[in-house]
Amino acid sequence: MTDTAPLMITMEAVNKWFGQFHVLKDINLTVRKGEKIVICGPSGSGKSTLIRCINRLEEHQQGNIVVAGNELTGDLKHIELVRKEVGMCFQHFNLFPHLTVLENCTLAPIWVKKLPKKEAEAIAMQYLNRVKIPEQAHKYPGQLSGGQQQRVAIARSLCMTPQIMLFDEPTSALDPEMVREVLDVMVELANEGMTMICVTHEMGFARQVADRVIFMDRGEIIEENPPQIFFDNPESDRTQLFLDQIL
Ligand code: ADP
Ligand code: MG
């Protein structure tokens, strides 16, 4: 990854509180086009809050966040522009249970992008092919395994052709035998050049695809390094302690 690729995300001295609780402390982060960032850290350290600030599911109180050239202020126009460029996948897939897989994938393209139904369906089928479940298109989410549902959720995000994908522990609610199929899709996406931030404790995935791995603890970025340094020779004792606990 070159230092000259365009900036996709910058966070500068970002602070956030939930009431009195200081959840993000002076967060600085720069992500260039095509970079893959993995964020790990203990439960409650602010990982979800950090990535949710990037598409304004949470509002920060101090500092600057610029995503795909748009600064996140209270300006609804900018928030809309940012959300167009950012796809997000959660631990719980959040599919609409009363819609088929195909309808889940075409809903936003039809209503937000105003695509004709036929065109939206053709695009959705392309992405369902990419995540290797085109044959499930007419089923309902409840008829699919967890791994299949998460792949639908990824396909659904991709149907909006985002420039950036955020993943928040996409495999942690899955049965172990289904983790690989979801990670494989994420690796493919990474290899195709998608800009990605992934909160995950799948350290094999981090080693394989991450340009940088970030360790968060108590609202702070404690360490940010390429995987070789991060795993084999971390700068911070707190990183080492965390790795000892999870590896
Ligand atoms: P992580 O994803 O690293 O587990 P989170 O970002 O979800 O951490 O949460 C960080 C801290 O902020 C936790 O202590 C959590 O309880 C608290 N928190 C998260 N969301 C809210 C909220 N909406 N209101 C109040 N506190 C919250
Ligand atoms: Mg979380």
Side-chain angles (χ1 to χ4, degrees):
M1 191 51 49
T2 60
D3 293 348
T4 55
L7 285 170
M8 294 301 280
I9 301 168
T10 54
M11 301 179 88
E12 267 179 358
V14 170
N15 283 278
K16 174 171 178 61
W17 290 261
F18 285 121
Q20 301 280 25
F21 180 65
H22 199 175
V23 60
L24 295 178
K25 299 174 186 164
D26 267 320
I27 299 293
N28 292 291
L29 177 65
T30 302
V31 184
R32 291 182 181 273
K33 193 172 171 61
E35 277 192 308
K36 293 89 180 95
I37 310 297
V38 165
I39 303 179
C40 60
S43 179
S45 56
K47 307 179 299 295
S48 294
T49 305
L50 188 157
I51 65 168
R52 289 165 64 85
C53 283
I54 293 171
N55 61 353
R56 197 68 167 194
L57 293 176
E58 297 288 354
E59 197 177 318
H60 62 291
Q61 285 109 10
Q62 273 181 15
N64 302 311
I65 303 179
V66 180
V67 182
N70 301 289
E71 182 169 0
L72 282 171
T73 57
D75 190 338
L76 283 176
K77 269 236 157 56
H78 281 201
I79 296 173
E80 261 175 40
L81 284 172
V82 164
R83 290 198 181 149
K84 262 193 195 152
E85 303 299 348
V86 179
M88 183 154 183
C89 283
F90 303 89
Q91 180 175 354
H92 301 286
F93 332 116
N94 303 353
L95 297 171
F96 296 108
H98 59 292
L99 298 180
T100 65
V101 164
L102 188 62
E103 288 165 348
N104 265 280
C105 291
T106 56
L107 191 67
I110 290 172
W111 291 99
V112 180
K113 277 199 167 179
K114 313 286 181 206
L115 287 189
K117 185 163 176 234
K118 279 269 171 314
E119 195 177 322
E121 287 179 347
I123 292 169
M125 286 311 299
Q126 275 177 23
Y127 286 111
L128 288 172
N129 261 305
R130 292 249 302 264
V131 302
K132 303 185 178 66
I133 36 174
E135 74 285 356
Q136 309 293 339
H138 299 289
K139 290 196 185 160
Y140 288 88
Q143 299 172 288
L144 272 55
S145 73
Q148 289 174 324
Q149 289 187 55
Q150 191 59 294
R151 286 186 281 148
V152 171
I154 295 172
R156 179 177 63 173
S157 290
L158 294 175
C159 284
M160 293 296 282
T161 57
Q163 293 201 61
I164 300 165
M165 282 290 292
L166 307 176
F167 291 91
D168 194 357
E169 306 207 37
T171 60
S172 52
L174 298 177
D175 291 330
E177 72 274 19
M178 292 169 188
V179 168
R180 192 68 252 168
E181 64 193 60
V182 171
L183 290 178
D184 284 346
V185 166
M186 292 168 64
V187 170
E188 241 174 67
L189 202 55
N191 290 339
E192 287 163 12
M194 179 64 81
T195 308
M196 292 164 61
I197 301 186
C198 310
V199 175
T200 180
H201 291 155
E202 292 292 336
M203 293 296 128
F205 172 80
R207 269 193 195 268
Q208 190 180 353
V209 312
D211 294 294
R212 281 172 286 139
V213 187
I214 288 175
F215 174 62
M216 278 187 80
D217 196 11
R218 291 180 224 162
E220 284 178 282
I221 292 180
I222 304 296
E223 175 151 359
E224 175 174 356
N225 263 319
Q228 307 87 303
I229 298 175
F230 188 91
F231 291 112
D232 301 335
N233 204 0
E235 281 166 22
S236 162
D237 294 344
R238 277 152 87 183
T239 308
Q240 186 63 60
L241 202 61
F242 177 75
L243 292 174
D244 290 345
Q245 283 166 355
I246 65 158
L247 291 178

